[in-house]
Amino acid sequence: MKTLKIASMFVLVCLMSAFTLIKSDSGYQVGDIATDFNLKNVNNKKVALADFKEAKGFIVIFTCNHCPYAKAYEDRIIALDKKYKKLGYPVIAINPNNPEVQPADSFELMQERAKEKGFTFPYLFDQGQKVYPLYGATKTPHVYILEKTKAGNVIKYIGAIDDNYSDESAVKTKYVENAVDALLKNQEVPVKTTKAIGCSIKA
């Protein structure tokens, strides 16, 4: 009987560990508190979420130089930053790709792309690919909307920017805008998760 109890406890511990690992490997879920980071911006200065004292939250977007999906969204990302930065939700873009795997996503080429497109937001390099696994990002672009609270930066939305990457004029649902608009009104985010559509992260 004692042996059976010990065996049962062992199985339970293994199962709990497995579930914990699964959750950890899959990254943040809606409702989780995101850990801050300190990454190099294209202007060679380090940027952390804590630097934005007046922010109400953040639109964190994992994106890159080379991916056609990321390129298709660049103007929309700039527009999101221009619209919501002044309302307290700035865009923070992060390149998660390893330049040894995808040379087009090197830091130097990030600097060129940011200048060429006139990025109005920080474009950060995830050196060593340490931040994107915490979030669980798998695509470029992949969006995480954070709300600043006393407990920390709470994740309120994960997924795509909108429902049509290829044709902005044909977009029917603007997931990110709807989410931030709801947060600004102290309302529940209407759609909390969507499938991110883009290129796989090159780590």
Side-chain angles (χ1 to χ4, degrees):
M1 190 70 173
K2 189 174 180 181
T3 306
L4 183 62
K5 277 186 177 180
I6 293 170
S8 298
M9 285 296 290
F10 178 74
V11 170
L12 183 62
V13 168
C14 286
L15 281 171
M16 287 175 69
S17 298
F19 280 116
T20 303
L21 286 172
I22 288 168
K23 187 176 188 302
S24 175
D25 289 347
S26 65
Y28 294 136
Q29 307 296 318
V30 170
D32 288 348
I33 295 174
T35 304
D36 203 349
F37 45 74
N38 193 27
L39 300 174
K40 186 164 69 168
N41 191 10
V42 287
N43 64 3
N44 285 305
K45 295 180 180 179
K46 290 290 187 76
V47 171
L49 298 179
D51 297 335
F52 297 80
K53 305 297 184 187
E54 303 303 316
K56 298 175 183 176
F58 304 93
I59 304 171
V60 176
I61 305 178
F62 291 90
T63 187
C64 66
N65 295 338
H66 87 279
C67 173
Y69 294 89
K71 288 181 178 180
Y73 272 114
E74 284 176 331
D75 290 340
R76 277 175 269 184
I77 293 171
I78 292 169
L80 283 171
D81 185 59
K82 286 182 177 178
K83 180 176 181 178
Y84 290 109
K85 178 163 55 182
K86 60 189 176 187
L87 299 175
Y89 276 84
V91 165
I92 309 292
I94 301 173
N95 173 17
N97 287 341
N98 182 350
E100 292 182 10
V101 178
Q102 178 48 263
D105 289 323
S106 70
F107 182 72
E108 291 73 24
L109 291 177
M110 285 173 61
Q111 291 177 309
E112 288 183 20
R113 190 65 181 170
K115 185 177 180 180
E116 177 188 334
K117 289 296 297 184
F119 285 172
T120 57
F121 45 82
Y123 187 24
L124 312 179
F125 181 48
D126 187 7
Q127 188 159 11
Q129 290 68 57
K130 295 175 181 177
V131 173
Y132 91 84
L134 294 175
Y135 278 75
T138 59
K139 303 289 183 183
T140 51
H142 205 151
V143 183
Y144 293 76
I145 296 178
L146 283 51
E147 181 183 32
K148 189 187 288 188
T149 72
K150 289 181 180 178
N153 294 308
V154 179
I155 294 178
K156 293 292 187 174
Y157 170 81
I158 301 172
I161 291 172
D162 55 42
D163 63 358
N164 196 321
Y165 87 90
S166 62
D167 185 359
E168 185 178 0
S169 66
V171 170
K172 293 179 180 176
T173 308
K174 298 181 177 182
Y175 302 121
V176 168
E177 289 197 33
N178 292 346
V180 178
D181 287 343
L183 291 171
L184 288 169
K185 295 173 186 174
N186 294 313
Q187 296 174 353
E188 277 291 309
V189 171
V191 177
K192 294 180 172 63
T193 59
T194 59
K195 182 179 180 181
I197 305 295
C199 302
S200 61
I201 288 173
K202 309 299 189 289

